[in-house]
Amino acid sequence: MTAPVRPPLTLRDLRAIPVADLKQVGPRSADRLEGMGIATVGDLLTHYPRRYHDRRNRQEIGALEAGEEATVAGRVQRVAGRRTRNGRAMVEVDVSDGSSSLRCVFFNQAWRERQLPVGTEAAVFGKVEHYRGRVQMTNPVVDVLEEPGAPGAATGVLVPVYPASGKADVQSWQIRKAVGEALDRARVRGFADPLDPALRERLGLVDRTTAIGQIHRPAAFDEVGAATRRLTFDEFLRMQVGLVARKRRDEREGRGLVHRTDGPLVGAFHAALPFPLTAGQRAAFDEILADLAAPAPMHRLLQGEVGSGKTVVACSALLVAVQGGYQGALMAPTEVLAEQHWYTVRALVADLTVPEPGSLLGARPLRIELLTSRTPAAERRRILDALGGGEVDLLIGTHALISEGVAFAALGVAVIDEQHRFGVEQRALLRSGAGTGGTTPDVLVMTATPIPRTAAMLIYGDLDRSELRELPRGRAPIATEVVGADPDARRAVYERVRAEVAAGRQAYVVCPLVEGSAKLEAKAATEEHERLAAGALAGLRIGLLHGQMAGVDKESTMAAFRAGALDVLVATSVIEVGVDVPNATVMVVEDADRFGLLQLHQLRGRIGRGAHASVCFLLADPRTPDGVARMEAMRTTSDGFALAERDLEIRGAGEVFGERQSGWTDLRLGRLPRDEPVVVEARAVAEALLDADPDLRDHAVLRAEVEDLLGDAVEFLFKA
Ligand code: ADP
Ligand code: MG
């Protein structure tokens, strides 16, 4: 009799085992690990080393020269904590490697005493100083290699160094031991591999058991490389399978509308525009038309630089719906934006009529309404009645459009101006909730954020894409100047504002971002408005716009600025997107280094929209390398795509996309733009896998991983 063969461990199996089940992890350590987000063996094994300490690659302490940067390793001989004369915590740690002793001095890091008890083996990296006849490093980087009393070189040549937590009191060696135990106990069963051997071979990837083992316990650096490649691929593959599966499901199951694309309304609209469509707008609209004419529901992303003319394209798509007797909806992420769209679209379609066969004239004016959470109740009722009766042709608004009680008679096309603020879930809600008679409306998502192609594959991987890359002709370029703290330079900025106003132009002053407090932000803007009106810009007509104002006040301020009744608009970042006043040629951004790169780019896009040369002043005195890098990028680049790449490099993909797509990414190793080729490859593999096996029936391991990644958002992508 043979013992039953137990199948390899899946990630789901591993996530079901609490870390406390490991002998190496007592109840106290379990709590501490949990404090770091490591609750299960699955979490533990995907807590990858930050780096590896190479035991062969160290210098002898006795041979160190002052001024050089060096890595040394040895045992702690002495630890002493005290306070300096001015009250700062100071910890001295003497480390010896047999050749000599090095003194490490830490300021304001009292926890080093607990981290480095006598007997600990540690590697330290820093700049060598000679101080009173001693070799010393001040605040060096420390990797704890072995706990006190461990035999020397208990681990291999490469010692994994884990992201540990001084605060949570978890040491790298504790994590290493727990990981070691988990790996040992998993050895018999191994780890289930979502990729079959033939595919692994074709992709040149090691199997998962090897990968997990070697990323934690490599014998050599090339093992780390191979393991990392494999595990990074898995991260991107899970996401791409989820996105492609969603796209396929929508195509398969959505009963879409076949729109009439030859009606008169769109032609009349284009004929009435004061300009011809650019070639890019034409091409994007043709792609949209093809989607609208096809029976499958459209689910397309329209991506274009700020000011590239997306609104005209989106409006054309909405009118395709209207000319066939359907309704159109446009949803924007903020009230100001919704109002701006309403204003713009209303002007664009002002003279259009909708065919109405039964009526006397055979036509009626096109009806367009605005619905936000601030719409008064009576007004809202009136709009919703008309919407349900089919009398409203276009409805523009905020997420109020997907709120309780909003029912379209026949929604044909929905445009979502996403600007990175809506997630996949909201999009799904509009698609599912709003359709009538079991059909799915066609959806066009607009974004002005220039997203690098592969990043778009991550966020919008379930959408088709159209891009507007050229700006409409006749735009003057925008110069960008970074202005430091020098009062004379700042005075010159406001002189320039006055000069532009004297020449008939208008200006924006953007007030500092106050993270997490719209109230404080509004207060700052109000004070700045008063300060400028009484000082640098006295005598000019200055308006104020911030997020705490009532909707009608915002709208009337914007209307006054548009009409030229205000010279200067002092505003918070509410004007970031969508606001379109071609006569505005100057922008002053205060504390510009507090804004993100893409946010600044969006802000700057508010000027340079007309024929006059424009200038953007970034008032900033950045103290961090990031801040300096961002200001420099803004000064030298106007290409949004290039800025988006820089932003990814500076911040990393997790931060850029994590917040809004949580549940859709579990990137630990993967990084953009560095890993672009991996994303492309994972996308191709995901498509091939789903071509051959749409429900992943023969890929149960992969299917489970994708389902776990998507969590609640999974909504039956696969038939079980
Ligand atoms: P986006 O929404 O992409 O930021 P908009 O649609 O607001 O851009 O267009 C920006 C400005 O360019 C608007 O003033 C618009 O009227 C104008 N515009 C749009 N398309 C064209 C075109 N084909 N030729 C000239 N100007 C255009
Ligand atoms: Mg269609």
Side-chain angles (χ1 to χ4, degrees):
M1 285 244 330
T2 51
V5 180
R6 300 174 70 203
L9 291 154
T10 64
L11 294 185
R12 200 178 273 180
D13 293 334
L14 296 169
R15 283 198 205 100
I17 311 171
V19 270
D21 284 9
L22 296 169
K23 293 192 192 72
Q24 292 290 341
V25 179
R28 263 164 52 112
S29 315
D31 283 350
R32 290 173 180 171
L33 284 170
E34 200 163 343
M36 296 175 61
I38 302 173
T40 69
V41 171
D43 299 332
L44 182 68
L45 290 176
T46 51
H47 188 75
Y48 301 119
R50 188 212 317 267
R51 58 179 168 262
Y52 302 85
H53 178 74
D54 185 346
R55 285 207 148 102
R56 295 160 307 190
N57 187 17
R58 58 171 71 158
Q59 285 159 276
E60 292 215 323
I61 295 172
L64 294 180
E65 309 215 0
E68 71 176 324
E69 290 205 317
T71 302
V72 300
R75 283 199 188 271
V76 174
Q77 306 294 331
R78 187 188 78 99
V79 194
R82 59 186 167 90
R83 298 218 158 256
T84 61
R85 230 165 293 150
N86 51 18
R88 287 204 293 170
M90 176 176 147
V91 178
E92 285 178 0
V93 178
D94 291 345
V95 174
S96 163
D97 66 355
S99 74
S100 188
S101 169
L102 168 81
R103 172 155 299 174
C104 303
V105 184
F106 301 95
F107 292 102
N108 289 332
Q109 301 173 29
W111 53 273
R112 293 289 185 187
E113 249 187 298
R114 269 174 295 133
Q115 185 196 29
L116 296 165
V118 170
T120 307
E121 187 189 343
V124 293
F125 169 79
K127 191 163 182 181
V128 178
E129 304 151 18
H130 281 164
Y131 183 74
R132 294 188 182 163
R134 276 180 187 285
V135 190
Q136 178 171 308
M137 288 184 188
T138 306
N139 291 337
V141 174
V142 177
D143 290 336
V144 174
L145 301 181
E146 304 285 356
E147 66 190 298
T155 40
V157 166
L158 292 183
V159 186
V161 177
Y162 289 92
S165 166
K167 273 204 214 85
D169 229 346
V170 178
Q171 303 302 339
S172 173
W173 58 264
Q174 293 172 304
I175 297 173
R176 193 187 69 227
K177 286 178 136 185
V179 167
E181 184 191 342
L183 289 176
D184 289 342
R185 289 171 67 175
R187 185 168 302 151
V188 183
R189 291 174 67 180
F191 299 110
D193 200 317
L195 302 181
D196 59 53
L199 183 55
R200 285 200 306 264
E201 177 147 1
R202 186 168 72 68
L203 297 169
L205 295 171
V206 298
D207 65 80
R208 185 176 276 173
T209 304
T210 303
I212 296 181
Q214 292 188 345
I215 200 163
H216 290 291
R217 290 199 287 214
F221 275 114
D222 54 353
E223 291 188 359
V224 176
T228 304
R229 221 173 312 122
R230 169 61 208 263
L231 296 170
T232 305
F233 181 82
D234 287 359
E235 291 180 353
F236 287 119
L237 182 67
R238 285 194 277 277
M239 287 177 70
Q240 289 304 322
V241 168
L243 289 163
V244 174
R246 176 188 279 269
K247 186 163 185 291
R248 298 271 167 95
R249 191 258 337 249
D250 291 346
E251 286 163 1
R252 199 170 52 226
E253 293 179 3
R255 271 207 303 123
L257 302 162
V258 176
H259 287 275
R260 197 180 149 196
T261 55
D262 60 347
L265 207 51
V266 176
F269 172 58
H270 289 168
L273 289 174
F275 43 74
L277 296 187
T278 64
Q281 284 171 317
R282 189 70 243 173
F285 185 53
D286 284 344
E287 288 170 337
I288 291 168
L289 276 181
D291 288 352
L292 293 176
M298 171 169 78
H299 203 191
R300 179 173 290 276
L301 174 70
L302 176 61
Q303 188 187 356
E305 266 285 17
V306 224
S308 58
K310 292 181 296 300
T311 309
V312 170
V313 175
C315 201
S316 307
L318 292 171
L319 292 175
V320 172
V322 174
Q323 78 187 356
Y326 292 100
Q327 294 161 303
L330 196 167
M331 181 162 83
T334 68
E335 220 141 298
V336 171
L337 246 187
E339 282 158 14
Q340 171 75 35
H341 276 312
W342 178 66
Y343 177 88
T344 310
V345 174
R346 201 180 43 171
L348 283 172
V349 303
D351 300 323
L352 294 181
T353 55
V354 182
E356 194 176 47
S359 76
L360 199 58
L361 298 171
R364 61 173 173 79
L366 188 141
R367 180 161 169 193
I368 170 171
E369 296 284 356
L370 174 70
L371 185 73
T372 72
S373 53
R374 294 210 205 236
T375 307
E379 170 86 351
R380 178 183 155 91
R381 223 170 301 120
R382 193 180 59 71
I383 292 173
L384 292 186
D385 282 350
L387 189 70
E391 295 138 44
V392 172
D393 300 299
L394 297 179
L395 184 64
I396 297 188
T398 54
H399 55 270
L401 296 196
I402 50 173
S403 64
E404 203 55 40
V406 178
F408 290 82
L411 180 58
V413 173
V415 174
I416 304 179
D417 191 357
E418 169 158 306
Q419 313 296 5
H420 262 197
R421 287 192 179 86
F422 295 118
V424 174
E425 287 70 30
Q426 277 100 323
R427 272 192 262 142
L429 203 58
L430 186 61
R431 283 161 62 80
S432 62
T436 48
T439 54
T440 310
D442 291 285
V443 172
L444 181 68
V445 179
M446 287 200 284
T447 179
T449 307
I451 308 160
R453 194 173 66 99
T454 42
M457 275 184 168
L458 295 193
I459 321 177
Y460 297 111
D462 56 337
L463 278 65
D464 295 309
R465 263 159 52 86
S466 299
E467 234 180 74
L468 295 178
R469 289 207 77 149
E470 53 175 329
L471 297 183
R473 253 185 296 275
R475 295 281 177 75
I478 307 173
T480 299
E481 292 179 27
V482 180
V483 181
D486 173 30
D488 285 341
R490 298 227 160 162
R491 216 165 298 127
V493 168
Y494 294 108
E495 284 313 311
R496 178 66 184 271
V497 171
R498 287 181 166 282
E500 290 287 321
V501 169
R505 308 279 88 78
Q506 290 163 284
Y508 296 102
V509 175
V510 181
C511 297
L513 193 67
V514 182
E515 209 63 67
S517 174
K519 271 219 183 77
L520 286 180
E521 199 168 277
K523 183 163 171 282
T526 308
E527 287 167 5
E528 182 62 7
H529 176 261
E530 283 165 15
R531 202 174 62 82
L532 290 174
L537 299 180
L540 303 188
R541 299 169 300 168
I542 310 179
L544 173 67
L545 188 72
H546 60 69
Q548 299 281 295
M549 287 163 54
V552 283
D553 296 341
K554 278 192 268 188
E555 175 50 29
S556 66
T557 302
M558 275 316 301
F561 190 64
R562 268 183 220 113
L566 292 171
D567 302 314
V568 179
L569 188 62
V570 175
T572 57
S573 59
V574 294
I575 61 154
E576 186 182 334
V577 275
V579 171
D580 183 17
V581 179
N583 191 46
T585 53
V586 197
M587 173 172 283
V588 180
V589 184
E590 299 181 344
D591 286 349
D593 50 329
R594 289 215 214 161
F595 291 91
L597 203 44
L598 291 182
Q599 217 174 358
L600 285 173
H601 182 63
Q602 305 279 20
L603 283 170
R604 183 171 60 182
R606 299 309 105 210
I607 54 172
R609 297 172 82 85
H612 302 281
S614 293
V615 58
C616 177
F617 295 104
L618 303 176
L619 307 190
D621 196 12
R623 296 287 160 84
T624 63
D626 270 19
V628 173
R630 273 181 284 130
M631 292 307 106
E632 183 58 13
M634 283 300 295
R635 200 179 60 76
T636 53
T637 316
S638 57
D639 177 352
F641 282 84
L643 285 172
E645 298 277 2
R646 278 297 285 141
D647 191 48
L648 272 176
E649 281 163 21
I650 295 174
R651 292 205 293 153
E655 248 192 87
V656 178
F657 307 119
E659 64 239 14
R660 59 184 286 281
Q661 299 288 338
S662 59
W664 278 77
T665 64
D666 64 348
L667 296 183
R668 286 168 186 274
L669 297 167
R671 279 198 64 149
L672 290 177
R674 186 195 64 195
D675 291 325
E676 283 194 6
V678 187
V679 179
V680 173
E681 190 164 57
R683 177 75 173 195
V685 169
E687 285 175 347
L689 282 172
L690 289 164
D691 280 345
D693 183 11
D695 290 317
L696 297 182
R697 237 173 265 274
D698 302 326
H699 295 84
V701 174
L702 180 60
R703 191 180 68 214
E705 290 183 11
V706 174
E707 286 175 351
D708 287 349
L709 169 67
L710 302 188
D712 295 338
V714 66
E715 19 138 327
F716 311 114
L717 285 187
F718 313 108
K719 297 192 198 82

